[in-house]
Amino acid sequence: GQEAAATIVKAQKPSVGDISLTTGLTGTVEPSDVVYVYAKASGDVTSVLVKAGDMVEQGQVLCEIDTEQVETARNSMDSASVSLSEAQSNLSRMQILYASGDRSDQEYEQYSNKVKSARLQYESAKLAYDRQVEYSTVTAPIGGKIESCDIEVYDRVNQSQDLCVIAGAGDNVVSFYVTQRMKQNCAVGDALEIQKNGTAYEARISEINSIVDSSTGLFKVKAQLENTGEIAAGSTVKLNLVTDRAEGTMLVPIDAVYYSGG
């Protein structure tokens, strides 16, 4: 008779360890610090000193706008300065007469109050002039890279119009969206693996929104990237996110698990 083939089995002692389930997602790389520069007053663009791709320092002049208010503000300031000087001169003469007893306390106080009033008017006029100069000379609020600059000389810009976008010089972040279940297993500081063009990068979760994004119905998450100068802002990347985990559990080889009907 034919002998039955011997069944070969392999024994392995279960161990204790951690199991994690990763989910593949896509994310968008964006600068960690982005500033939109707006026009604070309407007027005609008289000069544009930067273009997209330029690196700028904080306070550097980006463009100049003729708001048609600088000259008016300067004239008001100069007029207020003259009035203040006259009031101070009159008070100086009054002090001499007051000291010699030729003028009353009431008269002296009137001249003193005129100086105070003239000084307030001058300070107000100077503030208005400084504000118009600021509106006319647009400077970079932060240092970084000009991502876009949509104005040209002779353009007419309106108040609050977008002039340019500056991305800070810091590390980029990758933003992505997760479901409620995934969010429960995310925590600030968790490590992520980012992949772009076959290269893997490391990132750590830096921000988790607790309010659902109205456009996607999901929760937005941001992770801080490091050493990713070659990944351009706006790029789409793949990432692996740990969406479930079991810690300190019994581990057995996958070959020892028998599935039947799912």
Side-chain angles (χ1 to χ4, degrees), residues 84 87 91 109 111-121:
L84 175 59
L91 178 61
E109 187 176 353
Y111 279 87
S112 179
N113 288 338
K114 286 181 180 179
V115 171
K116 292 178 182 177
S117 177
R119 181 175 289 111
L120 288 174
Q121 290 179 354

Side-chain angles (χ1 to χ4, degrees), residues 38-176:
Y38 299 97
K40 294 183 178 179
S42 59
D44 297 321
V45 178
T46 56
S47 70
V48 179
L49 305 175
V50 295
K51 62 183 182 302
D54 286 355
M55 297 299 295
V56 296
E57 296 179 358
Q58 183 177 2
Q60 183 174 333
V61 178
L62 305 176
C63 66
E64 295 177 334
I65 301 172
D66 180 8
T67 64
E68 302 166 358
Q69 299 294 323
V70 174
E71 288 301 321
T72 302
R74 182 189 286 115
N75 291 338
S76 297
M77 181 181 67
D78 291 344
S79 176
S81 177
V82 171
S83 298
L84 175 59
S85 295
E86 290 177 351
Q88 288 172 330
S89 297
N90 291 335
L91 178 61
S92 296
R93 288 193 295 270
M94 175 57 66
Q95 284 175 328
I96 297 173
L97 296 173
Y98 177 71
S100 63
D102 291 340
R103 291 293 184 269
S104 65
D105 292 347
Q106 184 179 6
E107 287 179 301
Y108 178 78
E109 187 176 353
Q110 286 178 344
Y111 279 87
S112 179
N113 288 338
K114 286 181 180 179
V115 171
K116 292 178 182 177
S117 177
R119 181 175 289 111
L120 288 174
Q121 290 179 354
Y122 170 74
E123 290 174 352
S124 176
K126 185 178 185 305
L127 183 63
Y129 171 72
D130 291 343
R131 186 180 297 115
Q132 288 302 323
V133 170
E134 177 192 350
Y135 292 173
S136 299
T137 306
V138 181
T139 58
I142 64 169
K145 181 180 179 182
I146 302 291
E147 294 292 342
S148 68
C149 185
D150 299 326
I151 53 170
E152 297 180 1
V153 176
Y154 305 125
D155 280 355
R156 179 77 180 179
V157 295
N158 299 318
Q159 186 176 1
S160 300
Q161 181 174 331
D162 186 4
L163 301 178
C164 64
V165 180
I166 302 176
D171 292 330
N172 288 336
V173 298
V174 58
S175 62
F176 55 96

Side-chain angles (χ1 to χ4, degrees), residues 18-22 242-247:
D18 302 334
I19 299 176
S20 62
L21 173 66
T22 58
V242 175
T243 54
D244 207 350
R245 56 170 61 86
E247 299 177 349

Side-chain angles (χ1 to χ4, degrees), residues 151-215:
I151 53 170
E152 297 180 1
V153 176
Y154 305 125
D155 280 355
R156 179 77 180 179
V157 295
N158 299 318
Q159 186 176 1
S160 300
Q161 181 174 331
D162 186 4
L163 301 178
C164 64
V165 180
I166 302 176
D171 292 330
N172 288 336
V173 298
V174 58
S175 62
F176 55 96
Y177 293 89
V178 298
T179 64
Q180 174 76 39
R181 182 183 63 81
M182 294 178 182
K183 175 178 173 292
Q184 291 173 349
N185 290 285
C186 295
V188 172
D190 284 356
L192 297 176
E193 183 183 271
I194 310 294
Q195 294 182 350
K196 180 68 175 178
N197 298 328
T199 304
Y201 305 90
E202 250 194 41
R204 290 194 176 274
I205 293 178
S206 58
E207 184 180 326
I208 303 173
N209 283 10
S210 57
I211 299 176
V212 171
D213 181 80
S214 58
S215 60

